[in-house]
Amino acid sequence: MSTAVSHRPTPLSSALALVLAAGVALLLAGSSTQRLAVIGTAVGVAVVVTAARLPAPAAMPDEVTVRKRAVPTAGIGASEVTAIGAGIVVLSLLHGALTLAGGVGWARLGPGVLGIVLLGLGLRPVRDHLARRFVSAGLAALVVGVVLVGIFERADPGTLLVAATGAIIAWDVAEHGISLGEQLRSDADTTSVELLHAGASAGFGALLVLGATVLFENGATELPLVVLLGLVVAAVVSMAALYR
């Protein structure tokens, strides 16, 4: 229940993290059908996350209770919005599942959408102590998706590097939003701090991807791609840990 959560992640970092995760899943998707499933899943998860921040309905006055049949009951609450978001996610996943040709298609789509859902559960969250666990699980799913696409689809190395780096930045931004929410509460004015953190992470990640690409194309072509990918992932994770 939402009442068990005392401090939610900040809205801006939550939104940025979800957009980044959706971008990674879109990079891994192999068709317009898969991309539509990814977009639908991201929209549904965003609705579920937003629903947790809606104000609780005010208690109905006694005199109104007596006359409740005459009081309009228009409007929906957090539970209804959550149900709508969850419904969008389910429909998007069913659409993707019914139109996939086989297991390889799921390798492109499955981990990506799972990563978005797990990240969203961490950003909602259902319990304070589960927030970081779900966010980390979302990162793991996205990275698994990158590896599977690299193995089965032999995707372009540049695409895989960008996807892996984007997944880590999404995790880092989400973690930063959780920390700010715990320390300053989610309604504090932390826009500049969040944008600076996200920009620094993205800039560092872009430099690593550029350097790795140049290295791979000019003298390190014998280096296995998985090793290069691992080095970039380790570098970005180290950056995030040090910056924190």
Side-chain angles (χ1 to χ4, degrees):
M1 296 176 61
S2 60
T3 53
V5 179
S6 56
H7 303 293
R8 298 193 184 280
T10 55
L12 178 57
S13 290
S14 298
L16 291 175
L18 281 177
V19 169
L20 285 166
V24 171
L26 287 173
L27 282 175
L28 300 178
S31 67
S32 58
T33 299
Q34 294 185 4
R35 285 189 281 274
L36 183 60
V38 169
I39 293 173
T41 301
V43 170
V45 169
V47 171
V48 171
V49 173
T50 303
R53 304 171 188 276
L54 295 177
M60 185 179 292
D62 292 341
E63 60 179 334
V64 176
T65 303
V66 174
R67 302 174 181 175
K68 61 182 179 181
R69 291 186 178 180
V71 176
T73 57
I76 56 177
S79 299
E80 289 80 6
V81 176
T82 298
I84 292 173
I88 295 174
V89 172
V90 172
L91 290 176
S92 300
L93 295 179
L94 286 176
H95 173 72
L98 293 175
T99 55
L100 285 176
V104 176
W106 268 112
R108 276 188 170 275
L109 179 63
V113 293
L114 178 61
I116 295 173
V117 172
L118 291 172
L119 189 73
L121 290 175
L123 295 172
R124 183 179 164 96
V126 292
R127 290 286 190 277
D128 284 330
H129 70 281
L130 294 179
R132 285 190 165 82
R133 296 180 184 179
F134 275 120
V135 168
S136 297
L139 168 65
L142 291 173
V143 172
V144 167
V146 173
V147 174
L148 291 179
V149 170
I151 293 174
F152 292 109
E153 301 293 331
R154 298 181 179 179
D156 175 67
T159 300
L160 296 178
L161 287 171
V162 171
T165 305
I168 297 169
I169 295 174
W171 163 77
D172 176 57
V173 170
E175 285 274 346
H176 190 237
I178 292 172
S179 297
L180 287 177
E182 291 174 343
Q183 298 169 11
L184 304 175
R185 303 186 67 88
S186 61
D187 55 355
D189 184 11
T190 55
T191 301
S192 58
V193 175
E194 293 177 81
L195 290 178
L196 178 62
H197 181 95
S201 298
F204 187 78
L207 287 177
L208 282 177
V209 170
L210 179 62
T213 302
V214 171
L215 179 67
F216 186 74
E217 294 180 349
N218 297 276
T221 53
E222 296 181 358
L223 185 68
L225 177 60
V226 66
V227 175
L228 187 63
L229 189 62
L231 291 174
V232 173
V233 169
V236 179
V237 170
S238 299
M239 178 274 298
L242 290 173
Y243 190 75
R244 200 174 309 283

